[in-house]
Amino acid sequence: MTLTGKRILMGNEAIAFGAMKAGLQIASGYPGTPSSEVMETIISHAEKYGIYAEWATNEKVALETAVGAAYSGANTIVTMKQVGLNVASDPLMSLSYMGIKGSLVILVSDDPGPHSSQTEQDTRAFGNFSNIPVLDPATPQEAYDMTKLAFELSHELETPVILRTTTRVSHGCEDVLIEDIGPVSRDIEGFVKDARWAIFPKLTAQRHPLLEELQVRMSDRFSEYFKDSSFNYITKGSSKIGIAASSVSALYVKEAIKDSSDVFSFFKAGTAYPFPEKAALDFMKGLTDLIVVEELDPYMEEQFLQIAGKYHLDINIHGKKNGSFPVSGEYDVDVVIDGINRALDNIITENIRLSHSIGAVGPEDIPPLPVRAPTLCAGCMHRTVFYAFKKAAAKMKKKTGTDPVFSGDIGCYTLGNARPLNMVDTCLCMGAGISVAAGLSRTPEYMQGKKAKQVAFIGDSTFFHSGIAAVVSAVYNNADITIAVLDNRTTAMTGHQPHPGIGLTAMGSPAKIIDIAEVLKSCGVGMVKTIEADELDKCMDIATEAMEFEGPSAVVFKGKCVAICKGTGQYVVDEDKCTNCKLCIKQLGCPAIFSISSGTPVIQDTCSGCGLCAQICPANAIVLKEVAQ
């Protein structure tokens, strides 16, 4: 069946098809919203097209795996989200000096908002910092076309190329014109020994000048290629006011000025680094004012300011730095209209103002939506573990006079910080919970000069991602901490991808299960226990035992993710027995349980039958539905 023609594709799917059309041979990545669907799409077509794909244990490993394949001449891609690039930055910075032989595209999805991230960092700055080209698509079609281009440029220039998307590009959908994909060639040259593949200070000193020369080559190549390309284009207007934008912000601008498009000159940039200086200079000549529209960092704005200074242009630049546009958060058409109007307020030579669309309402006219706080799913095993530690901690406080401190991590279980559980006191980045707990263990508790027990929560996928090194350090330095591994046998938050603990690879092949408890033992943790997280009393007992242990201790709590393994029963409230104490509501925060005013609690059909509420009910008023009937 031919694929040639238009298909409705998500931006991430379009990137995957672009990579496969470019001759992708090897793909590696680590899941993270909004990037995950790129690898998921590649994996779903891998067998058909002869591609090898894998989920790595973290982004650093994923990049290094792709690098090894590229050293052998393979066409490779590695996928991650913006915070994952931080993890991969160590090999990335050295890689720009060494280069590659095949082709290597690094897909990084930024998350303005942010919708599901710790940061709003801007990958365009990383490209500038690492001297690696950055392509910045605005639509799924551009994402498809730029992916093919990225492979071409990477092979030609012998350097990795970053394809940077944002949430709206990654998850937006449109008709995308794609081409038929043939079987992938397995003709890979193979690794050829060469001194350039081993980076040493002497090699770095030798190759740094070559790297700087490459920047000039890249700039010239980009200027030549994009001179007549739709990725970078210029339209001329009747006024001396120009607007420049990139990525999805360019679409917002086009919508914002659709009734005044003949008034403004417009520059759309698809190449973030190297920045298209020649095209930008041609655009700026003759303008008195330039309005720069971009999400996150004022990256383009700074490029235009440098060009204006370098060529002594008499032009006013309006953007984030003079307060015309918000310095953070996600944009939309209304935000862009308001920002352009703020810039126009400072331009007295033209009497131009943009209007919101007829029927559009401003933020002040929109009634507030009901607050829906993020929460753990009904029946999530994490809730049982958090509650067990909460009760065990209360007993410990009576005994020692100190409150245990609970360091969290990145994953579904971060939601343990919400009321009424309140069980996550710190959360920094993936794998940091263990290290932070170890650091806290070195500081005395202010009350009574005693030290509080430190507990670190970490998920199974995160344990493999970056938790193991933290465990080794904690054991080596004899940190008095308890590690609670929440093992629901999946990478739940990013879409239920497999990991080394479940016995399946990304492509569905059987794999050796890496047992978390055995890893903890091999690292030297003094007490290691494993328990099923379904019986509250047993979980409380083992939590107490672990916290009373002196030195590093760990408990692996096993359970199922209710999003993929639904329960078989449902609980209801026996109104004849219920005393209306509301303990099930006040202490658990389960979204399946609610009550109206003074009425007895009600358990909705979203109940998955975990039974935690039944285990804490003092009146035994919560029973299985079939029993009640």
Side-chain angles (χ1 to χ4, degrees):
M1 183 182 71
T2 181
L3 292 173
T4 304
K6 284 192 173 182
R7 295 180 59 182
I8 296 178
L9 294 177
M10 181 189 295
N12 282 343
E13 294 174 311
I15 292 167
F17 278 103
M20 291 185 288
K21 178 59 183 175
L24 175 67
Q25 294 164 311
I26 296 174
S28 184
Y30 187 82
T33 306
S35 72
S36 301
E37 295 86 1
V38 177
M39 273 290 290
E40 296 284 8
T41 305
I42 291 171
I43 290 167
S44 67
H45 291 80
E47 185 175 351
K48 178 179 179 180
Y49 296 119
I51 299 168
Y52 173 76
E54 69 175 33
W55 287 118
T57 51
N58 65 27
E59 296 85 358
K60 178 178 185 290
V61 173
L63 177 56
E64 291 162 349
T65 300
V67 167
Y71 282 172
S72 294
N75 296 325
T76 64
I77 191 171
V78 59
T79 69
M80 63 194 72
K81 66 186 293 182
Q82 86 283 12
V83 285
L85 189 57
N86 299 333
V87 181
S89 62
D90 193 10
L92 181 75
M93 298 305 295
S94 297
L95 187 60
S96 63
Y97 283 83
M98 302 170 68
I100 46 99
K101 185 169 68 173
S103 57
L104 172 57
V105 175
I106 305 171
L107 180 278
V108 185
S109 296
D110 288 358
D111 188 21
H115 295 277
S116 57
S117 307
Q118 309 96 285
T119 72
E120 283 191 298
Q121 68 193 62
D122 194 323
T123 294
R124 294 177 300 172
F126 239 118
N128 193 1
F129 181 41
S130 62
N131 293 314
I132 290 176
V134 180
L135 303 180
D136 196 13
T139 66
Q141 182 67 63
E142 282 197 354
Y144 173 80
D145 294 332
M146 282 192 180
T147 302
K148 295 190 299 177
L149 174 62
F151 278 94
E152 178 186 330
L153 292 172
S154 178
H155 187 269
E156 176 186 335
L157 298 172
E158 295 188 345
T159 186
V161 173
I162 294 174
L163 182 70
R164 178 254 189 181
T165 67
T166 61
T167 301
R168 297 302 174 187
V169 177
S170 287
H171 288 170
C173 294
E174 73 168 350
D175 281 340
V176 178
L177 180 62
I178 64 174
E179 303 143 284
D180 198 33
I181 302 169
V184 173
S185 169
R186 303 308 300 169
D187 184 18
I188 299 175
E189 179 183 345
F191 183 74
V192 177
K193 293 186 178 183
D194 190 310
R196 68 177 284 197
W197 305 131
I199 191 165
F200 291 103
K202 182 179 180 181
L203 178 67
T204 300
Q206 291 172 345
R207 289 195 60 83
H208 196 171
L210 299 177
L211 179 61
E212 297 304 321
E213 290 177 16
L214 176 62
Q215 307 312 300
V216 177
R217 281 179 56 210
M218 285 195 299
S219 181
D220 292 342
R221 175 71 172 89
F222 276 38
S223 295
E224 174 190 342
Y225 184 90
F226 291 109
K227 182 172 58 178
D228 301 315
S229 169
S230 61
F231 300 149
N232 290 338
Y233 65 81
I234 295 172
T235 60
K236 290 294 185 179
S238 59
S239 72
K240 293 186 177 182
I241 301 174
I243 301 177
S246 69
S247 190
V248 74
S249 295
L251 303 186
Y252 300 150
V253 169
K254 290 177 70 174
E255 177 70 17
I257 66 172
K258 64 182 179 181
D259 296 328
S260 308
S261 57
D262 58 334
V263 175
F264 301 99
S265 295
F266 181 52
F267 178 66
K268 186 263 184 187
T271 51
Y273 181 82
F275 191 70
E277 182 176 311
K278 292 179 182 178
L281 179 60
D282 290 341
F283 173 69
M284 295 169 73
K285 288 178 178 177
L287 298 178
T288 59
D289 293 89
L290 174 60
I291 302 171
V292 184
V293 185
E294 57 187 330
E295 290 178 320
L296 303 180
D297 294 345
Y299 175 79
M300 283 181 58
E301 185 177 354
E302 291 174 352
Q303 303 302 312
F304 282 113
L305 285 167
Q306 289 182 21
I307 293 170
K310 180 178 178 179
Y311 295 98
H312 308 290
L313 301 180
D314 185 13
I315 185 171
N316 301 309
I317 296 178
H318 311 266
K320 295 175 183 288
K321 291 182 177 291
N322 73 341
S324 294
F325 288 88
V327 296
S328 62
E330 188 177 33
Y331 287 6
D332 57 27
V333 176
D334 291 326
V335 170
V336 169
I337 288 175
D338 291 339
I340 292 175
N341 282 338
R342 276 191 291 270
L344 292 172
D345 287 339
N346 295 318
I347 303 173
I348 60 175
T349 57
E350 300 283 351
N351 185 23
I352 307 169
R353 291 297 178 274
L354 302 182
S355 300
H356 292 274
S357 300
I358 296 176
V361 294
E364 68 279 358
D365 301 315
I366 301 174
L369 294 173
V371 176
R372 183 186 180 275
T375 184
L376 295 168
C377 296
C380 177
M381 61 159 282
H382 302 336
R383 183 176 283 104
T384 302
V385 177
F386 283 134
Y387 190 76
F389 270 98
K390 187 169 188 174
K391 302 304 286 186
K395 290 181 180 179
M396 176 170 276
K397 183 176 181 180
K398 287 182 179 180
K399 184 176 180 180
T400 66
T402 60
D403 275 321
V405 179
F406 298 97
S407 294
D409 223 299
I410 302 300
C412 294
Y413 43 90
T414 308
L415 299 174
N417 74 323
R419 294 180 180 178
L421 293 172
N422 294 316
M423 286 298 290
V424 175
D425 298 314
T426 77
C427 182
L428 179 61
C429 63
M430 290 188 74
I434 297 172
S435 305
V436 168
L440 286 167
S441 73
R442 304 300 174 186
T443 60
E445 178 69 19
Y446 289 110
M447 292 181 64
Q448 303 175 7
K450 298 177 181 178
K451 283 189 176 181
K453 187 68 182 188
Q454 305 297 326
V455 179
F457 295 114
I458 188 168
D460 43 342
S461 184
T462 307
F463 178 82
F464 292 115
H465 177 279
S466 47
I468 297 174
V471 172
V472 171
S473 182
V475 171
Y476 172 63
N477 292 291
N478 196 32
D480 186 19
I481 67 173
T482 293
I483 302 165
V485 182
L486 307 176
D487 183 5
N488 59 5
R489 298 182 57 74
T490 187
T491 312
M493 178 164 273
T494 57
H496 305 105
Q497 294 83 8
H499 61 64
I502 71 168
L504 285 176
T505 67
M507 297 175 69
S509 302
K512 184 175 180 60
I513 295 176
I514 310 300
D515 188 280
I516 294 175
E518 293 301 318
V519 172
L520 288 163
K521 291 175 184 177
S522 69
C523 289
V525 177
M527 170 196 160
V528 179
K529 296 289 182 71
T530 300
I531 186 174
E532 293 291 329
D534 53 3
E535 294 187 43
L536 178 60
D537 288 342
K538 290 183 178 179
C539 288
M540 288 169 54
D541 290 343
I542 202 167
T544 301
E545 180 185 353
M547 287 194 293
E548 289 179 346
F549 186 88
E550 291 188 13
S553 62
V555 181
V556 180
F557 294 91
K558 288 185 172 291
K560 296 177 180 179
C561 176
V562 294
I564 54 178
C565 299
K566 302 296 184 183
T568 57
Q570 181 185 344
Y571 282 81
V572 295
V573 176
D574 185 336
E575 295 185 8
D576 294 333
K577 292 182 178 179
C578 180
T579 62
N580 207 18
C581 68
K582 300 282 198 327
L583 198 68
C584 54
I585 294 174
K586 295 176 182 177
Q587 295 202 7
L588 298 183
C590 176
I593 311 175
F594 75 99
S595 68
I596 301 174
S597 63
S598 60
T600 58
V602 176
I603 300 178
Q604 303 176 90
D605 290 341
T606 52
C607 171
S608 63
C610 72
L612 178 59
C613 55
Q615 293 179 67
I616 72 163
C617 179
N620 295 319
I622 300 178
V623 296
L624 282 169
K625 190 173 185 178
E626 53 265 33
V627 174
Q629 293 173 339

